[in-house]
Amino acid sequence: GGGPGVYSADTSREYVGQLKCDEWASDVVPEIMDGKNVLDFVDDDIAARLAQLDEEELATDEALARAEAFEAEHALSPAEAALVEAARKKKKLDRIKSQHNRNASKSNVLPRTKARGRLLDDDDDDDAPLARAAAVKRGRSLSRRPRDAASNGAMDLDAGDGDKAAKKARLRSVSRGRSASRPPPRSELGLKDESQKVQATKLKRKLQKKSNLLARAGEADRKTGPKLLRWRLEGKMSSGSRRSR
């Protein structure tokens, strides 16, 4: 160790008397890796094996060079490369088309519009006129609401017979709004008049005042905030942990 002009003392004399044989004191210190001596895993014919590996590597490099030269000599021309690319694209398109046809054959459900058109256009079947009439009736009559039909009936009755009583009854039943048949809100169920509603509202606000003071969302809210201790948080901050003062 050391370097040019640096004195390096001989420390081999310190091993005399500590080893099994004093002649080993001047030997080269073995290289230890993972608790094992590296020289224990070095064979006597390691040089011959390394030479054999070098020869195999040279042979592999020569074989690769010959393969590259062969590929360069037998490379495809631009026209041949274009044909190969076209064949690959054609194969890909055929695969996509086959997959599309296979998926289309699996879907047996016929859309409603196509089914209706088939019923209207199918003239070979004996029941085609009945199917067409049913489809037309379905498309005309069921598309109208009962309210419109009732109002039209009321107008026809008024124009034909002139029965005022029947007209008033029909118009009253037709003009009846949705709000007349809608049930009251759940908060007003069981309350007879307006005074009971006011009393229930006051009682609700009174019972809710405690929850509002505790900042709770409702009766089931069990959320609790952090409990801060005064002896930990008050006073001058000194060096150390910020957890306490």
Side-chain angles (χ1 to χ4, degrees):
V6 179
Y7 172 75
S8 178
D10 185 13
T11 58
S12 61
R13 61 176 178 271
E14 298 179 0
Y15 304 124
V16 177
Q18 299 183 13
L19 302 175
K20 188 176 182 180
C21 182
D22 293 340
E23 297 178 355
W24 296 350
S26 58
D27 292 348
V28 179
V29 178
E31 184 178 357
I32 306 299
M33 179 180 290
D34 297 336
K36 299 178 182 180
N37 191 353
V38 176
L39 292 178
D40 294 341
F41 300 90
V42 177
D43 298 332
D44 298 335
D45 56 345
I46 187 66
R49 291 190 177 184
L50 287 175
Q52 184 180 0
L53 288 176
D54 292 339
E55 293 177 358
E56 292 179 358
E57 186 175 358
L58 290 176
T60 305
D61 292 342
E62 292 177 357
L64 290 175
R66 289 195 298 269
E68 291 178 358
F70 180 80
E71 291 180 358
E73 292 177 359
H74 297 79
L76 296 176
S77 62
E80 294 175 346
L83 289 176
V84 172
E85 186 67 21
R88 289 177 180 173
K89 290 183 179 180
K90 181 67 168 55
K91 186 177 180 180
K92 184 177 180 181
L93 291 176
D94 292 343
R95 184 170 63 252
I96 295 175
K97 187 182 298 183
S98 176
Q99 183 178 3
H100 178 71
N101 295 336
R102 186 165 57 252
N103 295 337
S105 63
K106 290 181 180 179
S107 59
N108 298 325
V109 180
L110 194 64
R112 184 175 179 182
T113 55
K114 292 187 178 180
R116 180 177 297 180
R118 177 172 295 182
L119 288 175
L120 294 176
D121 298 337
D122 192 5
D123 296 334
D124 298 335
D125 194 0
D126 296 338
D127 298 335
L130 299 178
R132 184 183 296 105
V136 172
K137 180 180 179 181
R138 219 173 25 247
R140 289 181 178 178
S141 61
L142 296 185
S143 62
R144 296 185 298 175
R145 294 181 297 178
R147 182 181 301 178
D148 299 337
S151 60
N152 292 337
M155 293 174 63
D156 295 341
L157 182 62
D158 180 42
D161 301 334
D163 191 354
K164 295 184 179 181
K167 177 185 175 183
K168 289 183 179 180
R170 285 186 176 276
L171 291 178
R172 190 181 299 109
S173 62
V174 170
S175 61
R176 184 180 183 184
R178 173 67 178 169
S179 60
S181 61
R182 185 178 300 172
R186 295 182 61 183
S187 59
E188 299 180 2
L189 291 177
L191 303 178
K192 296 181 180 180
D193 51 6
E194 192 68 24
S195 61
Q196 289 188 358
K197 293 182 183 179
V198 174
Q199 187 177 0
T201 304
K202 289 183 179 180
L203 184 60
K204 175 185 176 182
R205 292 178 180 176
K206 184 177 180 181
L207 294 176
Q208 198 175 0
K209 186 179 296 184
K210 184 177 181 180
S211 299
N212 294 342
L213 291 176
L214 297 177
R216 298 186 183 276
E219 297 179 357
D221 189 4
R222 297 291 185 269
K223 181 179 65 175
T224 57
K227 300 182 183 302
L228 304 180
L229 301 179
R230 183 177 179 182
W231 63 271
R232 280 188 175 185
L233 301 176
E234 74 172 1
K236 185 178 179 181
M237 183 190 307
S238 60
S239 62
S241 175
R242 304 244 177 188
R243 180 182 56 81
S244 58
R245 297 293 181 263

